[in-house]
Amino acid sequence: MAFELIYLYIDDIGRNIKQCEIPFSNRFEVIYDGDEKNIFIEKKDPGVGFFYGENIQDIKLLVGKNGCGKSTVMDLLGTTDQDRKREFPMYEKDEWPFDGKVWDPGRKYSWFAVYHLNGDDFVIEGYHPELLGKITEQVCLRDDYSIAIAYDFEKHRVSQLDFLQEKTVDRSRKADEAMFYLFYQVEPAIHWLTQPQRLSKDRYNCTFERQYVGKNGFQAINSYLYRATHEQKFQEEMNSSIGVEIEIGLKSSRTRSLDVENVINERTSAQHTWMLEKTLYQGKEQLLDIPVPKLRKILNEPIPYSDKECIILEYLEELIWNILKKGNAKAKQSYDPPKVENNYLYRKQFLLEFLKQLVQENAEKEYLSVTVTEEDYQIAQKICEGIEQIPDGYCQNAQTIRIPVRDMEKNFTDVFMCAMDANSSEEHLVQHRNIIDVKFRHLSSGEAFYLDLYAALYRGVQKMEHQKEGDTCILLLDEPDSRFHPEWSRRFIKNLTEELKKEMFRKFRYQIIISTHSPLLLSDVRKEDIICMNTDGKNGSVRIEKSPYGFMSNINDILLDTFFLEAPYGAWAENYVNKLLEKISQLEQEIKGNTNTIPKKKTTEEFMKRIECLEKEVNKIGEELIRSSLLKKLHRYYYQIQSQKMQKNQEEETRREEIRYLKERLARLEQDD
């Protein structure tokens, strides 16, 4: 089934995009009649498209300058229902104020999108069905709506209408289950820029499911880091050899220094630590970080645990302390380790049992300051299991593990990373990430963003395990190459399509919509698949234009088009050249003004000095054609001045000869007298 987004109409959403039509399909054309409030759908001949892959049905590029509304379109289509209503309110005012007589909702904001399901079946979703009065007047719809329609192509009208949730595409599935969105957006690195905190998905969804995959998971990143350092094919796609390191470390809130005096002072003053030791171990054992293992080594105290075992035990102690710091509980079982040299397994199991006891107590009576659940217990178990699978040689000390990914013989960190991801939701009141931290080091920003994109898509697809094979994924990528080297941008379409063909992605079909500033992507798609968004300089409104460039277009030609660049070089350089041209033009006018007069010797020397200075400025220009053209012009002025100088010298010599001749003649005449 070729499900796809085919059309978007934005009437007014409180932004600069108004009464704007954006087509997304090569197989259908949607015509909106604003006067009649009706739509007409026509079938089109899609022509000969590109075979990007069996599971890739279409790629569209959304291009335009900053502020033209590309991200707005992506947000409107891709955000979850709850986030969309917050970022794109349905009314000018957040509430409906009541003046005692009538409701005053303010100005309505409205838009709608059209999807093709199968055959003659389509779906329309949007705000305020009044935009489609001819279609929706027969049913009562709420302000945000999603409906399924059957369209009669012979009579050019809607022949049937259902609520989307009631429409079935086959005997077993509802229409809204057969298509979904994955929306990736590069997270800004600007600390002062306030961005909306988006939900990864809606709890209750009345239209197609949307997954926001802008925030990534540890397991997905870890998986792609391993591929980037161990798979030759992936390294060739990246065209880069990375040397990344994973660091796993404890973030104890009770110990802030390894200094001996500070640790001892904290030990004597921390009554809560003493109480926790008594609660857990009945005074038979110390918490591992008081004093820290490093201090124990300095004091030559025996440490019966390896560094890795210390990390696990201290993590469990810190986890329990975070739960109990404002509550109270006692271990039901007395701490009584066996008389062996290393009692790690006993101590770990004792702490896990204590944690499980807290889970049971919380289920019975909710008096603890932090809610602890069975899921937290399962996460703690998996974190311990995951750390145990890491070879001892990667432990730097009793608080830090460092793993050069290139040295890994196998991907032994997956269990640990999956456990950390299980705690990623903000709904968890017990945040394991506040106790144990994961960092990825020695990556360039470009490498990090490159891996982040593919890891985000991988994790998003993993979350869609409830979808069936062959379902359509509308993949929205908002400026995914904005942090890439130009060569990565040039390779982007190829690398993306190659990745989506791999087993982990092959389950779904993909309709891909990419917003970009980069002209490097345009030469990989047909010009029919490029949607140009431009702004009107007078009022800033957005209009949709056809692209003059497309598949196999020369990148230099695309760059020089004013849609992307107003000049082929930087603005500072442009200003430099413009000022230089003004100086040369002024020199030319002055030279022309002196052609009919004999310049004085001082004026000629001034011209020559000015030409020499201008030559030095011109020689700073790196572009050979511009530089040589300006130098030729200056040389012409130079020879013109030289010619004037020679002519002036010749005229002076002629006058001197005439004066000499006249003086001699005058002398002869005087002699004759």
Side-chain angles (χ1 to χ4, degrees):
M1 295 183 183
F3 296 177
E4 65 172 334
L5 167 70
I6 64 174
Y7 178 83
L8 174 67
Y9 179 78
I10 299 176
D11 181 55
D12 187 359
I13 53 172
R15 311 282 178 93
N16 63 325
I17 309 179
K18 295 182 179 180
Q19 298 180 347
C20 182
E21 299 179 271
I22 306 177
F24 287 103
S25 175
N26 296 325
R27 300 187 305 120
F28 296 96
E29 181 179 8
V30 179
I31 302 169
Y32 176 63
D33 186 338
D35 296 329
E36 293 293 326
K37 298 191 180 305
N38 199 1
I39 64 168
F40 301 94
I41 305 174
E42 295 181 359
K43 294 179 181 179
K44 294 196 306 182
D45 180 4
V48 180
F50 293 135
F51 185 74
Y52 292 110
E54 290 183 356
N55 62 333
I56 301 173
Q57 62 189 45
D58 193 21
I59 296 179
K60 286 286 188 292
L61 296 186
L62 204 60
V63 301
K65 297 179 181 179
N66 284 329
C68 70
K70 300 186 305 297
S71 292
T72 296
V73 170
M74 303 296 264
D75 292 343
L76 187 63
L77 290 171
T79 48
T80 61
D81 186 57
Q82 186 173 338
D83 285 339
R84 185 166 59 248
K85 289 175 183 175
R86 183 177 66 249
E87 296 177 36
F88 300 94
M90 289 185 285
Y91 296 93
E92 185 178 24
K93 302 174 183 177
D94 291 337
E95 299 178 355
W96 286 15
F98 186 64
D99 62 4
K101 295 181 180 179
V102 295
W103 289 99
D104 178 21
R107 189 173 70 213
K108 289 183 177 182
Y109 294 136
S110 52
W111 64 276
F112 67 86
V114 182
Y115 304 83
H116 177 236
L117 287 181
N118 191 30
D120 298 341
D121 292 329
F122 297 83
V123 168
I124 307 175
E125 66 171 357
Y127 284 173
H128 298 114
E130 294 91 337
L131 272 182
L132 297 169
K134 286 287 185 180
I135 298 173
T136 60
E137 61 187 3
Q138 55 185 300
V139 293
C140 182
L141 297 174
R142 66 184 193 181
D143 290 338
D144 58 315
Y145 65 95
S146 52
I147 55 174
I149 64 170
Y151 190 80
D152 189 328
F153 286 97
E154 292 184 359
K155 297 181 179 179
H156 304 291
R157 63 180 178 84
V158 173
S159 60
Q160 186 180 346
L161 186 148
D162 299 298
F163 292 104
L164 176 61
Q165 297 84 350
E166 299 174 2
K167 175 71 176 176
T168 57
V169 292
D170 55 42
R171 293 182 179 179
S172 60
R173 303 191 72 199
K174 299 291 186 183
D176 59 341
E177 297 173 347
M179 183 161 57
F180 64 93
Y181 277 90
L182 288 182
F183 178 27
Y184 176 81
Q185 194 171 46
V186 177
E187 294 287 329
I190 304 173
H191 71 276
W192 51 263
L193 182 62
T194 304
Q195 289 290 103
Q197 296 296 315
R198 288 178 172 152
L199 300 172
S200 61
K201 64 176 293 185
D202 279 323
R203 289 185 180 180
Y204 308 103
N205 198 49
C206 63
T207 181
F208 300 114
E209 184 175 351
R210 270 116 165 142
Q211 282 274 2
Y212 180 71
V213 294
K215 292 184 178 179
N216 227 316
F218 289 126
Q219 189 271 338
I221 288 291
N222 181 69
S223 175
Y224 270 85
L225 285 174
Y226 186 81
R227 289 185 58 195
T229 53
H230 288 76
E231 292 185 16
Q232 183 177 354
K233 176 66 174 175
F234 195 81
Q235 290 177 15
E236 290 173 357
E237 290 175 359
M238 282 192 69
N239 196 26
S240 177
S241 179
I242 64 176
V244 65
E245 181 180 82
I246 301 174
E247 181 179 301
I248 300 170
L250 292 170
K251 298 198 302 184
S252 174
S253 59
R254 289 176 284 130
T255 301
R256 296 176 177 82
S257 173
L258 296 181
D259 181 76
V260 174
E261 183 178 355
N262 287 344
V263 171
I264 293 176
N265 288 341
E266 184 166 334
R267 184 181 181 186
T268 57
S269 62
Q271 184 179 4
H272 59 270
T273 300
W274 175 82
M275 291 178 63
L276 183 54
E277 288 177 345
K278 193 168 183 65
T279 298
L280 284 175
Y281 303 125
Q282 296 82 48
K284 298 178 182 179
E285 190 65 80
Q286 288 180 321
L287 300 179
L288 274 183
D289 65 341
I290 305 294
V292 293
K294 185 173 182 179
L295 178 57
R296 290 189 183 182
K297 289 180 181 179
I298 294 173
L299 299 177
N300 293 320
E301 292 187 17
I303 305 175
Y305 313 114
S306 68
D307 285 343
K308 185 169 67 176
E309 290 170 344
C310 285
I311 290 173
I312 293 171
L313 295 176
E314 186 176 339
Y315 154 70
L316 290 173
E317 290 174 350
E318 189 73 19
L319 176 63
I320 293 170
W321 179 79
N322 271 270
I323 297 169
L324 290 180
K325 57 187 175 182
K326 291 185 180 179
N328 190 16
K330 291 183 179 180
K332 292 182 179 179
Q333 176 187 349
S334 176
Y335 183 79
D336 188 16
K339 305 299 181 182
V340 293
E341 184 176 349
N342 188 335
N343 67 342
Y344 160 73
L345 291 177
Y346 173 83
R347 186 166 178 174
K348 181 191 78 169
Q349 192 58 38
F350 178 84
L351 292 171
L352 285 171
E353 289 296 328
F354 191 96
L355 182 61
K356 193 168 188 177
Q357 172 191 322
L358 295 179
V359 173
Q360 293 169 345
E361 289 183 1
N362 180 71
E364 296 170 1
K365 46 186 177 181
E366 299 180 0
Y367 67 86
L368 297 178
S369 61
V370 177
T371 302
V372 57
T373 65
E374 177 66 25
E375 186 178 5
D376 290 309
Y377 174 73
Q378 298 294 336
I379 291 171
Q381 273 191 318
K382 285 296 183 181
I383 286 177
C384 294
E385 180 185 339
I387 296 175
E388 287 174 339
Q389 291 185 11
I390 299 173
D392 292 342
Y394 294 111
C395 293
Q396 298 294 302
N397 50 51
Q399 289 192 320
T400 307
I401 298 170
R402 289 197 180 96
I403 309 168
V405 179
R406 193 177 296 279
D407 294 346
M408 296 169 64
E409 294 183 1
K410 61 178 182 178
N411 197 356
F412 48 71
T413 56
D414 248 12
V415 173
F416 173 78
M417 298 298 182
C418 286
M420 294 296 287
D421 283 342
N423 186 234
S424 61
S425 172
E426 296 180 359
E427 297 175 0
H428 285 271
L429 295 178
V430 176
Q431 287 293 319
H432 298 253
R433 294 186 182 191
N434 292 336
I435 303 166
I436 194 162
D437 193 22
V438 181
K439 294 184 176 70
F440 302 100
R441 300 187 181 279
H442 314 313
L443 279 170
S444 72
S445 61
E447 291 170 337
F449 280 107
Y450 187 96
L451 293 168
D452 181 75
L453 166 64
Y454 291 108
L457 301 185
Y458 171 63
R459 191 177 187 216
V461 167
Q462 279 185 317
K463 289 182 176 181
M464 290 297 177
E465 57 185 11
H466 58 284
Q467 298 287 150
K468 289 188 177 181
E469 187 169 349
D471 285 352
T472 296
C473 169
I474 302 177
L475 182 56
L476 303 179
L477 305 177
D478 189 13
E479 298 183 16
D481 63 329
S482 59
R483 311 289 178 89
F484 287 1
H485 183 277
E487 177 61 16
W488 279 357
S489 291
R490 191 184 72 85
R491 293 168 174 252
F492 181 76
I493 298 291
K494 176 182 177 294
N495 289 349
L496 175 65
T497 53
E498 290 293 328
E499 190 68 14
L500 294 178
K501 295 174 190 175
K502 294 177 180 175
E503 184 177 357
M504 64 191 79
F505 295 105
R506 269 205 309 257
K507 180 179 178 181
F508 305 121
R509 295 176 56 82
Y510 296 92
Q511 179 187 4
I512 304 170
I513 301 172
I514 304 171
S515 71
T516 182
H517 288 293
S518 173
L520 297 167
L521 273 64
L522 272 65
S523 63
D524 270 349
V525 299
R526 299 185 307 173
K527 63 181 181 181
E528 295 91 339
D529 294 328
I530 300 170
I531 302 167
C532 298
M533 300 183 69
N534 212 341
T535 53
D536 190 325
K538 296 180 180 179
N539 55 22
S541 61
V542 175
R543 63 180 184 272
I544 304 300
E545 299 177 354
K546 292 183 178 180
S547 174
Y549 301 103
F551 186 64
M552 288 296 291
S553 292
N554 186 285
I555 289 176
N556 289 327
D557 292 338
I558 301 173
L559 278 170
L560 292 174
D561 190 279
T562 56
F563 189 80
F564 288 97
L565 294 176
E566 295 180 2
Y569 33 76
W572 195 92
E574 181 184 20
N575 187 55
Y576 178 90
V577 171
N578 287 339
K579 288 183 178 179
L580 193 54
L581 289 172
E582 289 178 6
K583 292 179 182 178
I584 293 174
S585 177
Q586 183 179 355
L587 175 67
E588 182 182 15
Q589 295 300 320
E590 291 181 17
I591 291 174
K592 286 181 178 179
N594 282 275
T595 55
N596 298 324
T597 60
I598 301 176
K600 297 179 181 178
K601 185 176 181 181
K602 183 179 178 182
T603 305
T604 301
E605 291 176 353
E606 286 178 351
F607 277 137
M608 301 296 282
K609 287 181 180 179
R610 285 171 62 185
I611 290 174
E612 289 176 4
C613 290
L614 288 172
E615 281 183 337
K616 291 179 181 179
E617 292 186 51
V618 169
N619 279 318
K620 294 177 183 178
I621 298 172
E623 210 287 322
E624 184 177 356
L625 182 62
I626 297 176
R627 184 178 66 250
S628 60
S629 175
L630 293 178
L631 285 175
K632 285 180 181 177
K633 183 175 286 192
L634 289 174
H635 291 162
R636 188 167 65 248
Y637 298 155
Y638 176 84
Y639 292 130
Q640 188 174 347
I641 293 297
Q642 287 282 61
S643 175
Q644 287 184 13
K645 183 177 179 181
M646 291 174 63
Q647 182 180 355
K648 180 191 69 174
N649 291 339
Q650 187 176 1
E651 290 174 350
E652 288 179 351
E653 181 64 26
T654 300
R655 283 198 301 273
R656 283 195 293 270
E657 288 292 330
E658 290 180 352
I659 292 171
R660 189 165 51 251
Y661 169 77
L662 292 172
K663 284 182 177 179
E664 290 176 356
R665 186 175 180 185
L666 180 62
R668 286 196 299 270
L669 290 172
E670 289 176 348
Q671 274 182 341
D672 292 341
D673 290 341

